[in-house]
Amino acid sequence: MSSRRRRPAEQLHDLPSESDPKLGDNPEQSHDQLCRDPPPHSTDTLSASHLPTCPALCTTQCMPEHACPNHRARDDSWEEIQRKRTIRAENEVEANKLVNNYRFGFRKWKSHVTARPFEVRSQVVKELHSELNVIKPHPGRLITCGNVVYVLLFGWWVSLAYLFIGLLMFLTIAGVAHGKLCWKLSCYFLWPFGKSIHQVGNPSRRCCEQAPDCDCDTDGTEDISPVLLPSPTEVPIPELPGRPLRSAYWRRFSTYVWLLLGYPPLVVIHSLACFLSWILVFTIPVFKMNARTLGVILLLAPEDVSVSTCSERKHPVYETRALLCCYHAANWYYYKYTVDGINVFAVNLLPLVIVAIVIGYIDRENQFASSNVKFAIAICSIIPLSHYIGMGIASISAQSNFAVGAVVNATFGSITELTFYITALLRGHREANPCLQEVVKAALTGTLLGCILFIPGICMIIGGLRHSEQRFNSRSTGVSSALLFISVGGVFAPTLFSKAYGNLVCDACTNSPGANGTNSSQFVCRNCHYDLSNGTLFHNHVEPLVYTVCALLPAAYIIGLIFTLKTHSHIYDIHVGEGQATGQPGAVVHWSRWRSLLILIMATLLTSACADLATEHIQPILNQPNVSQYFIGVTVLAMVPEIPEIVNGIQFALQNNISLSLEVGSCIAVQVCMLQIPILVLFNACYDVGFVLLFSDIHLWASIFSVILVNYIFMDGKSDYFQGTALVVVYLILLALYFFAPSPPGC
């Protein structure tokens, strides 16, 4: 075996695991195949002793366990190999990010934090980021559903606009040439597919069109003209010498007639088409087509613009340059499209932040938008801010050591939720509204339930439908489960203590006569609760217990970091290939550390403003008679900020990395109990807003039941869509429980 240093393209893949295509999706079938054809080992990862070998009785086929005494030992070795993985990344920064995904206390991030070289991207991604100035062979059909939708959504009115503007140019006499161009573009934009727009250069050659027998020297043009023919490779056409000088065009009177009368309305038309097509995401090719027309084609001399089919070759002796050629108006894979490392959906939602702040702080009297609309916009604006915060955390952590990364994750990892909770508590304290405190507790519980049940469940369903059965490291998951047990027990310990030693107090008790005319009577009481405000129980017993628990929980979190990152990091068995250890020169990060820190601070401030607007306009939502305030807290307020994490978990599951999908929810749940709640208690100790760490019965039993269930599901280290369905169904049952539950007392 060669021990030469490998290039990035030759770096190790993951060792044999459930995701290895050589082993298949069926574990038993994969094991049999491994026995028949054991994979070759590598000196960079494991020695030959680590590979499973079949005994003499099982050389051709692995027999049942009773026939193979070493079957159990072989299974142990197989599980050990599954746990050992080698990270494959393009550079050192990406390798650090991938390793951080497996570390306890670090938020899991799927997107790249560095710019990947375009030549190593998949063909699908290349197609997404390619410009429309390249003519390629297209053997497929042009009449597709997306192209027909284009005609209905964009084509007819853009074509009609060009028709009217062309007529206007004809009326000016001086703009006849531009009028002809508008009519050509009117036909083009009605159905642009399979057609091309190209620029005809070198005006000295135009004599050939009117005088075919002229003496123009056309030598060498045959090597240039095939640019308009279908090309097997997608190579942008370079600008060739001999293009017409722009000075002659900009000195014409007709040019300024066009710029005053024809171009401005087309700016509006194409800008509107660009906006709509960009917002729809899957029609981004329409955005590229309109943007290129507006910025390039409409500013050229009309005689330099030629429209033809992509395979047509009208001017075989002209020097030409392809400007626009489109075959499809929509592409399903544009959900992968990124702008500076940020997914296009997060980019599209970012303007909601500006809209929320403008209408929230300017329209105080609700003249232009109701409180319900303002609340919805403010809540939705938190989604892109959460995505930007996640990208900033991942960028800083990948470019720093694990200590800095742990601090950044602990500081900013919960900033979105904490900002909303503290803002709601402050507003409830100022307005003497105890309902907001109950909403905060419901949101905390809802985040806990969603991360324990819904996120793992939906990831198991999607991953199980694609990969049948998935396996994960049950020992590393057991560490998170143990911390989850500790955290949930600590958070609800004061509640259990108060119910054991508190006095049950009821309001509005009435004496009603017995049924069937009997002389017996019964008391009917409402709003029963444990009274802790009177007497010494709360101040002398419950409150010290709360402070003790909130001191122990962060300490347990720190111990968990030390255990998983230092003393027992081998539990995760994450290795970086030899070729990646030194990093690759020229790796370009999307965000530097200082830029990431600046974006984190700005996103935090904007999140605070949006959270303030959401709490300001939440009261009409809470006053809905048919919806429990508990339900609003555990659904909208709890899960909307976690949408980026849900997307990350689903992407990990689709790539057969269910371990990270499960860690996504566990990481957030542990941070809720061990960091967010202690910080809220500390904030209340410094500035009394009336927050008491005592939960209602529905929160208590729902959380305890969920933790027990999810730990039972995670015991065997396997997952499939049935287990995921069980978790999601339990989550929906609990949501129904909250939906029909009465609102908190006094709300």
Side-chain angles (χ1 to χ4, degrees):
M1 294 183 61
S2 174
S3 59
R4 63 183 178 87
R5 192 176 187 84
R6 293 163 297 171
R7 296 172 305 198
E10 299 173 332
Q11 291 165 358
L12 290 175
H13 293 275
D14 290 352
L15 290 177
S17 64
E18 69 279 0
S19 61
D20 198 329
K22 296 180 180 179
L23 301 180
D25 294 330
N26 189 335
E28 297 180 1
Q29 181 182 2
S30 304
H31 188 78
D32 295 341
Q33 183 177 352
L34 180 64
C35 293
R36 293 192 298 268
D37 302 310
H41 62 278
S42 171
T43 57
D44 295 323
T45 52
L46 296 174
S47 62
S49 60
H50 290 95
L51 295 176
T53 58
C54 291
L57 295 178
C58 306
T59 54
T60 58
Q61 182 178 3
C62 286
M63 305 299 292
E65 186 174 356
H66 66 273
C68 296
N70 295 332
H71 185 83
R72 185 176 301 276
R74 186 167 60 251
D75 285 344
D76 295 339
S77 179
W78 170 257
E79 292 177 2
E80 182 178 355
I81 286 182
Q82 286 196 106
R83 290 197 300 267
K84 286 188 174 294
R85 294 178 178 272
T86 299
I87 296 298
R88 182 183 182 183
E90 293 85 359
N91 50 70
E92 184 180 5
V93 177
E94 283 297 327
N96 289 337
K97 187 211 72 173
L98 294 175
V99 172
N100 289 339
N101 282 342
Y102 290 90
R103 286 173 171 168
F104 169 77
F106 285 71
R107 303 197 82 167
K108 320 307 173 189
W109 192 252
K110 178 64 177 64
S111 303
H112 281 69
V113 296
T114 58
R116 301 179 64 189
F118 189 76
E119 58 272 8
V120 303
R121 308 295 294 272
S122 65
Q123 193 61 37
V124 173
V125 177
K126 288 181 180 179
E127 182 70 22
L128 300 183
H129 290 272
S130 64
E131 298 296 333
L132 300 181
N133 61 338
V134 178
I135 300 177
K136 302 171 296 182
H138 182 73
R141 293 166 42 187
L142 295 178
I143 302 178
T144 62
C145 181
N147 292 352
V148 173
V149 171
Y150 161 83
V151 176
L152 299 178
L153 293 182
F154 303 98
W156 68 271
W157 56 272
V158 174
S159 176
L160 194 62
Y162 269 103
L163 191 63
F164 283 118
I165 293 173
L167 181 60
L168 177 63
M169 289 293 100
F170 273 106
L171 295 178
T172 62
I173 306 300
V176 171
H178 288 93
K180 293 180 180 179
L181 175 62
C182 287
W183 284 4
K184 290 181 182 179
L185 294 179
S186 175
C187 298
Y188 176 83
F189 278 99
L190 182 62
W191 185 263
F193 314 109
K195 302 177 183 177
S196 66
I197 300 178
H198 45 274
Q199 179 183 3
V200 181
N202 199 347
S204 63
R205 301 182 183 274
R206 294 200 187 98
C207 61
C208 299
E209 181 179 12
Q210 298 164 355
D213 299 329
C214 69
D215 296 329
C216 290
D217 184 14
T218 60
D219 293 340
T221 57
E222 291 300 325
D223 295 333
I224 299 173
S225 58
V227 69
L228 295 181
L229 293 175
S231 174
T233 58
E234 185 177 343
V235 180
I237 305 303
E239 296 187 11
L240 300 172
R243 293 176 56 192
L245 298 177
R246 282 190 172 275
S247 57
Y249 172 65
W250 292 107
R251 291 174 184 173
R252 303 175 190 172
F253 174 73
S254 60
T255 301
Y256 297 96
V257 173
W258 164 252
L259 293 178
L260 289 176
L261 299 179
Y263 188 71
L266 289 178
V267 170
V268 177
I269 294 296
H270 283 294
S271 298
L272 179 60
C274 286
F275 174 77
L276 295 177
S277 56
W278 181 268
I279 291 297
L280 294 176
V281 175
F282 303 106
T283 56
I284 287 181
V286 180
F287 165 84
K288 294 180 179 180
M289 184 168 54
N290 283 271
R292 190 164 185 81
T293 302
L294 186 62
V296 177
I297 296 174
L298 295 182
L299 297 179
L300 294 175
E303 63 271 15
D304 289 345
V305 179
S306 176
V307 180
S308 63
T309 60
C310 288
S311 59
E312 189 176 353
R313 189 177 175 187
K314 275 191 172 183
H315 308 286
V317 296
Y318 291 173
E319 293 178 352
T320 57
R321 182 168 67 105
L323 298 178
L324 191 59
C325 183
C326 183
Y327 294 103
H328 294 289
N331 190 336
W332 167 254
Y333 290 101
Y334 266 101
Y335 73 89
K336 297 181 177 182
Y337 196 77
T338 58
V339 179
D340 198 19
I342 298 297
N343 186 268
V344 63
F345 287 101
V347 175
N348 286 350
L349 289 176
L350 196 60
L352 283 180
V353 179
I354 301 176
V355 174
I357 293 176
V358 169
I359 67 173
Y361 288 107
I362 294 180
D363 184 23
R364 288 289 187 179
E365 303 298 328
N366 295 340
Q367 296 180 354
F368 302 102
S370 63
S371 293
N372 294 340
V373 173
K374 292 180 179 179
F375 172 78
I377 296 177
I379 284 292
C380 292
S381 64
I382 295 178
I383 299 175
L385 293 175
S386 300
H387 190 86
Y388 275 82
I389 289 174
M391 179 68 174
I393 293 173
S395 298
I396 294 178
S397 301
Q399 300 174 66
S400 310
N401 56 42
F402 80 93
V404 175
V407 172
V408 171
N409 276 269
T411 305
F412 289 97
S414 303
I415 198 68
T416 303
E417 297 86 351
L418 283 175
T419 301
F420 175 79
Y421 299 152
I422 292 176
T423 304
L425 292 175
L426 288 173
R427 184 169 295 277
H429 178 68
R430 288 195 302 265
E431 299 177 357
N433 185 4
C435 297
L436 290 180
Q437 181 185 155
E438 294 299 325
V439 169
V440 169
K441 293 179 182 178
L444 287 168
T445 307
T447 304
L448 192 63
L449 297 178
C451 294
I452 293 176
L453 298 176
F454 181 74
I455 295 181
I458 196 68
C459 293
M460 284 182 177
I461 292 175
I462 296 177
L465 291 175
R466 182 168 184 175
H467 301 287
S468 181
E469 183 180 82
Q470 297 176 295
R471 298 190 180 190
F472 53 89
N473 190 341
S474 58
R475 188 176 180 189
S476 62
T477 308
V479 174
S480 301
S481 300
L483 289 171
L484 197 57
F485 257 122
I486 296 172
S487 58
V488 170
V491 165
F492 290 99
T495 303
L496 293 172
F497 184 86
S498 65
K499 294 186 181 304
Y501 297 100
N503 296 322
L504 186 64
V505 177
C506 299
D507 300 331
C509 293
T510 58
N511 187 4
S512 61
N516 300 328
T518 60
N519 295 329
S520 61
S521 60
Q522 57 184 0
F523 283 94
V524 178
C525 300
R526 302 179 183 277
N527 297 333
C528 295
H529 59 279
Y530 287 93
D531 185 18
L532 300 176
S533 58
N534 298 327
T536 61
L537 178 63
F538 178 76
H539 296 288
N540 294 345
H541 300 279
V542 176
E543 193 172 31
L545 176 61
V546 170
Y547 293 145
T548 302
V549 167
C550 291
L552 292 175
L553 289 177
Y557 184 82
I558 295 174
I559 294 174
L561 287 176
I562 297 174
F563 179 83
T564 56
L565 300 182
K566 296 293 291 184
T567 62
H568 288 70
S569 59
H570 62 275
I571 292 177
Y572 295 90
D573 288 324
I574 304 303
H575 305 280
V576 179
E578 181 183 353
Q580 299 147 332
T582 59
Q584 298 301 320
V588 180
V589 295
H590 290 300
W591 298 355
S592 64
R593 277 176 288 192
W594 287 109
R595 182 184 178 187
S596 301
L597 182 60
L598 179 62
I599 291 177
L600 280 176
I601 296 174
M602 293 179 59
T604 301
L605 295 177
L606 292 174
T607 301
S608 177
C610 294
D612 180 67
L613 292 172
T615 55
E616 179 182 354
H617 299 283
I618 195 177
Q619 198 58 46
I621 307 294
L622 298 178
N623 292 336
Q624 296 290 333
N626 298 326
V627 181
S628 173
Q629 295 183 5
Y630 285 137
F631 181 78
I632 297 173
V634 299
T635 53
V636 178
L637 304 182
M639 296 308 295
V640 168
E642 308 301 337
I643 288 179
E645 303 297 332
I646 297 174
V647 173
N648 282 331
I650 292 174
Q651 288 179 328
F652 285 130
L654 288 174
Q655 292 188 346
N656 205 12
N657 198 343
I658 194 64
S659 297
L660 289 184
S661 297
L662 302 181
E663 289 292 335
V664 166
S666 298
C667 178
I668 301 174
V670 169
Q671 285 191 347
V672 167
C673 296
M674 292 191 167
L675 293 180
Q676 294 181 19
I677 291 179
I679 290 175
L680 292 178
V681 173
L682 177 62
F683 176 79
N684 184 78
C686 298
Y687 184 82
D688 189 8
V689 292
F691 179 74
V692 181
L693 193 61
L694 297 175
F695 293 85
S696 62
D697 290 349
I698 189 172
H699 298 327
L700 171 65
W701 302 118
S703 300
I704 293 177
F705 173 74
S706 300
V707 172
I708 295 175
L709 175 64
V710 78
N711 277 273
Y712 175 77
I713 294 291
F714 290 170
M715 284 176 58
D716 59 351
K718 302 177 183 179
S719 70
D720 49 49
Y721 74 90
F722 177 76
Q723 292 178 337
T725 303
L727 293 178
V728 173
V729 168
V730 171
Y731 178 74
L732 295 178
I733 291 174
L734 293 178
L735 289 188
L737 193 68
Y738 279 106
F739 182 82
F740 293 105
S743 296
C747 297

